[in-house]
Amino acid sequence: MTGGPTAEQIATDPAFQRTRENMNEFGGCALAGKSLRIGLASLMKTMADSQVTGRLTAIMKKINLEDGSEARGKRAVLISQVPQYLKGFEFNRFTSFDGTFSAPHTITPGTNRDESTLDVPAFNPLNFLNIPAGATHFRIINGISVISDFEFNADTKVYEPKEAALNEMKAIEYSAYLPVDQVTTAVSLTSTLAGPPTMTTDVMVVNVIGIEFFQEVNSNYYVFAQGNAMKISELF
């Protein structure tokens, strides 16, 4: 029995023009999703499920389809124009942030888009957290990461960030280890990008909020593999 089309056929045969266009744009969407994951890499191990890469790429593809200015196969990934597709994204689809953490809180972006402050008034964890069995402590996380729009480069034939110098910049702040059985003090976490950088209209700042659970043993804190949660709370 004959096999499928060869790589050369897919690359050159006019019959596979649509396939080449789809592959090209898919590659650009994958790069955009990868940039977001790299910017938040220090949080991904404990916060993300095994399918987060595919789920982010799918969202980037929805953003890609919104570009009506370029030809098929070269449409840009203009996150800055439709950031609502990413707002509320859960990094672990099995553990939602809102289902884990329901304490009142506010996020205040800086006027120059280079920082964000998370404020959480004092609260009783037993009333506002979904605490995994065995957990003794938790940490609250406020993180920001810059993601650039991506566009097709006609010279290199690949997708590239429009603002490479800003893309993947990050700042992540953690609260102290807080006991799960004691009322907390007020928590205020300000994440500030180094520099500071000058933002442009071709980037978005992704603001995530997360919670990690730990077990304390002999003054050492061991992070739980499950029960942690993080979502994209704001984009600015």
Side-chain angles (χ1 to χ4, degrees):
M1 297 178 63
T2 59
T6 65
E8 183 179 357
Q9 284 178 301
I10 293 176
T12 60
D13 193 324
F16 291 95
Q17 177 64 25
R18 182 61 55 84
T19 300
R20 289 193 293 274
E21 293 170 351
N22 290 337
M23 290 173 60
N24 202 33
E25 291 186 343
F26 180 84
C29 295
L31 284 173
K34 182 179 180 180
S35 280
L36 180 55
R37 289 186 286 112
I38 289 174
L40 300 170
S42 63
L43 302 172
M44 299 299 290
K45 184 176 180 180
T46 59
M47 296 294 190
D49 63 51
S50 61
Q51 298 178 350
V52 68
T53 297
R55 294 192 297 116
L56 277 174
T57 301
I59 292 177
M60 295 303 177
K61 182 56 184 174
K62 290 181 180 179
I63 295 173
N64 170 240
L65 292 174
E66 293 285 343
D67 181 23
S69 63
E70 296 291 341
R72 186 188 296 271
K74 300 178 181 179
R75 288 174 293 193
V77 186
L78 301 176
I79 301 161
S80 64
Q81 295 189 15
V82 283
Q84 65 270 21
Y85 281 110
L86 282 168
K87 187 170 183 178
F89 178 81
E90 296 278 0
F91 286 83
N92 188 332
R93 63 192 180 96
F94 303 107
T95 309
S96 75
F97 179 81
D98 291 341
T100 304
F101 181 98
S102 58
H105 60 276
T106 58
I107 290 179
T108 307
T111 55
N112 293 325
R113 301 171 62 208
D114 59 358
E115 70 175 21
S116 163
T117 299
L118 168 66
D119 287 302
V120 185
F123 69 97
N124 187 339
L126 297 177
N127 295 334
F128 290 100
L129 301 185
N130 185 5
I131 304 168
T136 62
H137 291 74
F138 67 96
R139 288 196 301 182
I140 300 170
I141 300 165
N142 182 43
I144 57 175
S145 181
V146 182
I147 183 165
S148 170
D149 292 340
F150 278 71
E151 63 183 355
F152 182 75
N153 186 320
D155 295 326
T156 61
K157 307 298 183 184
V158 296
Y159 277 81
E160 299 174 352
K162 296 178 74 172
E163 293 287 356
L166 297 173
N167 193 47
E168 301 173 7
M169 292 189 71
K170 59 189 176 294
I172 298 170
E173 293 293 328
Y174 298 81
S175 73
Y177 294 99
L178 304 170
V180 300
D181 58 354
Q182 298 178 22
V183 175
T184 70
T185 58
V187 174
S188 184
L189 301 173
T190 299
S191 300
T192 304
L193 298 171
T198 300
M199 296 300 175
T200 73
T201 57
D202 294 322
V203 300
M204 291 299 297
V205 179
V206 178
N207 199 154
V208 299
I209 179 173
I211 184 169
E212 289 180 325
F213 291 96
F214 299 82
Q215 186 175 72
E216 181 188 14
V217 180
N218 297 326
S219 299
N220 295 312
Y221 296 92
Y222 299 93
V223 66
F224 273 42
Q226 298 178 335
N228 309 311
M230 183 172 73
K231 74 171 184 177
I232 296 177
S233 183
E234 300 289 342
L235 295 102
F236 53 86

